[in-house]
Amino acid sequence: MKYAWFGEKREAAVEQETAALSPSRRDSLFFGALCLAEISFAAILTALYLKGERTFEVFLSARPGLVFLGAVVGFLAGGIGILYRYREHKRSPSRHVPMVVAMNLVTVVLILMTGEIVVRAAVRDYFQFEAVGGGGLVLKPKSWEETKARYGKLLDQTQSAPSLLVHDDVLGWTVGPNRRGGDGLYWSDSEGLRVPHEGAVIPRQTGQTTIAVVGDSYTFGDEVRYEDTYGHFLDQMLGSQFRVVNFGVPGYGLDQMLLRYQKDVRKWKPKIVVLGFISHDLERTLWVYPFLGNHEWDYPFSSPRFIVRGEELININPSPLPPEDIFAKGLISELPNIEYQQRYKESEWRERFYHASYLGRLFTSLFSPWSVHPDHSEEALISVNASILKAFVQSVQQDGATPLVVFFPGRGELRKLGSRGKQVLERAGLAYVDPTPCLLDVDSTKLMLPGRHYSPQGNAAVAKCMQQAINDIVTQTL
């Protein structure tokens, strides 16, 4: 009885305090309570959406879980304010209450309509996708039909003008034989190796010590002439006793570099094999269909895909599909091993009722439910790439040659202490060449080209650091 009396007294006191407020003040508080409840309710739904596959215990310790708890408190506080105003209205009806509710609803509708209009106005075409923002945020759902249409056009173009890159049953793609690319900037010989001009031939045997360089577009020499690649600079620095053969292929990940060595390089019997890579190559190793990992790429190919099980490195996609077979699939979910494509989620390619709203599409594109495929995680990235590097070193050593691993830092990594590339090298426990000191000697405005590859000056600097490492190898082993 005592507690009941106290509760009634307290409630009466609150009602007296509320009644003492001016009508406009009460209406403002009521409007604020409605807004707080609505915002909190939206935050609760958002947090539960982001929960994804996490257990509730793990969810509550994460940021969305903390937002959820705060939103629950906000919703209860707003609900209490609404309840008090409702009870007051029941005892003493006021026309202000329905007016405040109507004003609140109109405000919500206007905000949503304005947001919808703004998003629709901001939508632009981004490589056959609808996207917003300068970074090209692709709106869900993504369209497989539009993706097929885009790459279908690219494939049609290669029929009339053969591209530099061609499908390969093991590597996914490689440099085609006797090809021209980059509007005459690039030429390949009959074995798909980069050469200085049309018709140039690299003989297998010359009496020189062969040094093979394996890598991606940095090794191939995108954006520069053959004479301005680091491989050519290195060849000139080492002298006539040596020759450097360029096995670089644009777009490669570490997995393809390993397979490139095993398939194409070892038969040349090089004495030194250089593997050069950038941090982005590590992500490419987690791709099965690279055009899904980077919408800007014009590579309509699939690629091998390694995973680590225990201590074993396994290629689960040893025969990458040719482009014609990839884009003949009716649904993206029909692609072999698509579940191993980093960040692929089938739900992102499936249309839902809320996709009728561009505002809803923007929301679901900005925020995704928590879900980490064990082979998509950061740990998987570090682990599989470290295993590939170790496999490369072992393969080269078993063939009686000397491996040399080189990490090429990007502009933003030159003055940073850590990077993904170095994390992988540390996990692999391998010595490597870091050309950062040589690159820092180059004027920063002249180091990189618009496509983010090294300039001729940058390639010369890389070759300078590599020359010292190769001289050390020659002194010790050759």
Side-chain angles (χ1 to χ4, degrees):
M1 288 292 294
K2 178 180 178 181
Y3 294 112
W5 173 82
F6 178 79
E8 291 174 0
K9 186 175 181 180
R10 175 60 184 161
E11 185 176 338
V14 171
E15 290 175 357
Q16 288 176 3
E17 292 175 5
T18 303
L21 296 173
S22 65
S24 61
R25 179 66 171 163
R26 288 201 300 271
D27 291 342
S28 297
L29 290 174
F30 180 43
F31 185 84
L34 286 169
C35 292
L36 177 61
E38 290 161 347
I39 293 171
S40 299
F41 184 67
I44 289 171
L45 294 180
T46 300
L48 291 174
Y49 170 76
L50 295 175
K51 172 182 174 292
E53 299 172 1
R54 283 178 282 206
T55 63
F56 217 82
E57 182 179 358
V58 172
F59 164 67
L60 290 178
S61 63
R63 183 177 298 177
L66 298 177
V67 171
F68 170 79
L69 294 175
V72 169
V73 173
F75 182 75
L76 291 175
I80 290 172
I82 294 170
L83 180 62
Y84 272 121
R85 190 70 180 98
Y86 173 75
R87 292 182 63 179
E88 184 184 50
H89 175 67
K90 291 288 289 183
R91 285 193 301 271
S92 178
S94 169
R95 63 180 182 177
H96 288 276
V97 171
M99 288 176 60
V100 171
V101 172
M103 184 169 60
N104 173 263
L105 292 175
V106 169
T107 301
V108 171
V109 170
L110 286 176
I111 290 173
L112 293 176
M113 288 179 62
T114 301
E116 182 74 16
I117 293 170
V118 169
V119 174
R120 285 177 180 266
V123 169
R124 61 188 180 87
D125 180 75
Y126 180 75
F127 299 98
Q128 296 291 122
F129 292 104
E130 289 185 311
V132 296
L137 174 66
V138 174
L139 296 180
K140 303 174 187 175
K142 301 174 184 177
S143 171
W144 178 235
E145 290 303 318
E146 290 179 0
T147 302
K148 291 199 298 181
R150 180 196 171 199
Y151 287 99
K153 292 178 182 177
L154 291 175
L155 292 176
D156 290 341
Q157 292 172 7
T158 61
Q159 301 299 320
S160 57
S163 65
L164 182 72
L165 303 178
V166 297
H167 170 69
D168 185 275
D169 292 336
V170 175
L171 304 172
W173 67 89
T174 190
V175 177
N178 301 313
R179 296 297 174 109
R180 173 183 180 271
D183 293 328
L185 191 61
Y186 318 131
W187 295 94
S188 67
D189 70 359
S190 60
E191 294 197 47
L193 304 178
R194 185 162 185 192
V195 291
H197 54 81
E198 183 179 15
V201 176
I202 303 177
R204 289 285 182 93
Q205 301 297 330
T206 62
Q208 298 169 297
T209 298
T210 299
I211 299 174
V213 291
V214 183
D216 59 10
S217 55
Y218 277 62
T219 294
F220 178 81
D222 266 19
E223 299 188 84
V224 298
R225 302 176 307 150
Y226 175 87
E227 292 79 10
D228 292 324
T229 62
Y230 80 74
H232 181 73
F233 283 122
L234 186 62
D235 185 86
Q236 297 300 300
M237 292 176 182
L238 292 173
S240 60
Q241 183 183 351
F242 299 88
R243 65 166 181 167
V244 177
V245 183
N246 190 334
F247 289 88
V249 180
Y252 267 14
L254 284 185
D255 49 354
Q256 292 164 296
M257 297 177 200
L258 169 64
L259 295 173
R260 173 77 157 161
Y261 169 75
Q262 295 173 340
K263 180 177 182 287
D264 298 325
V265 179
R266 63 172 22 141
K267 59 191 176 187
W268 283 69
K269 301 187 185 303
K271 291 298 182 182
I272 299 174
V273 183
V274 177
L275 183 149
F277 73 99
I278 62 174
S279 289
H280 194 255
D281 296 341
L282 308 177
E283 285 200 30
R284 298 173 191 174
T285 304
L286 301 190
W287 295 348
V288 186
Y289 301 95
F291 56 87
L292 298 179
N294 187 335
H295 300 306
E296 298 181 15
W297 280 22
D298 290 335
Y299 298 168
F301 305 104
S302 58
S303 64
R305 175 66 157 93
F306 283 89
I307 59 174
V308 175
R309 291 294 180 265
E311 297 296 320
E312 187 177 4
L313 186 64
I314 305 169
N315 185 359
I316 53 92
N317 197 44
S319 301
L321 288 181
E324 295 77 11
D325 291 349
I326 294 173
F327 300 107
K329 302 296 183 183
L331 299 172
I332 191 172
S333 57
E334 295 175 0
L335 293 172
N337 297 309
I338 185 63
E339 66 274 17
Y340 289 97
Q341 170 71 30
Q342 186 190 38
R343 290 189 290 272
Y344 166 77
K345 294 179 182 178
E346 185 182 356
S347 60
E348 295 184 355
W349 298 79
R350 191 183 307 148
E351 192 165 352
R352 304 290 190 181
F353 71 91
Y354 47 78
H355 288 146
S357 164
Y358 275 75
L359 192 60
R361 292 178 64 186
L362 176 62
F363 173 82
T364 57
S365 302
L366 285 171
F367 306 103
S368 295
W370 187 90
S371 174
V372 175
H373 190 292
D375 291 303
H376 296 181
S377 67
E378 184 69 14
E379 171 57 27
L381 181 146
I382 301 294
S383 175
V384 72
N385 281 291
S387 296
I388 289 171
L389 282 175
K390 288 192 288 187
F392 167 79
V393 168
Q394 292 169 1
S395 292
V396 173
Q397 290 174 336
Q398 288 170 1
D399 291 335
T402 302
L404 181 65
V405 177
V406 183
F407 171 64
F408 299 134
R411 188 192 297 275
E413 296 173 310
L414 284 172
R415 300 186 184 277
K416 288 175 62 176
L417 294 178
S419 68
R420 265 181 169 179
K422 293 181 179 179
Q423 287 178 350
V424 168
L425 287 161
E426 289 170 5
R427 175 71 68 87
L430 299 176
Y432 64 97
V433 174
D434 181 358
T436 296
C438 297
L439 289 168
L440 289 175
D441 288 338
V442 180
D443 183 342
S444 61
T445 63
K446 299 179 180 178
L447 180 62
M448 310 291 283
L449 295 171
R452 292 174 290 186
H453 296 93
Y454 291 145
S455 66
Q457 296 94 321
N459 281 316
V462 167
K464 180 181 176 182
C465 273
M466 290 174 62
Q467 178 193 17
Q468 182 58 54
I470 290 174
N471 285 337
D472 292 341
I473 292 174
V474 171
T475 300
Q476 297 169 14
T477 63
L478 298 182

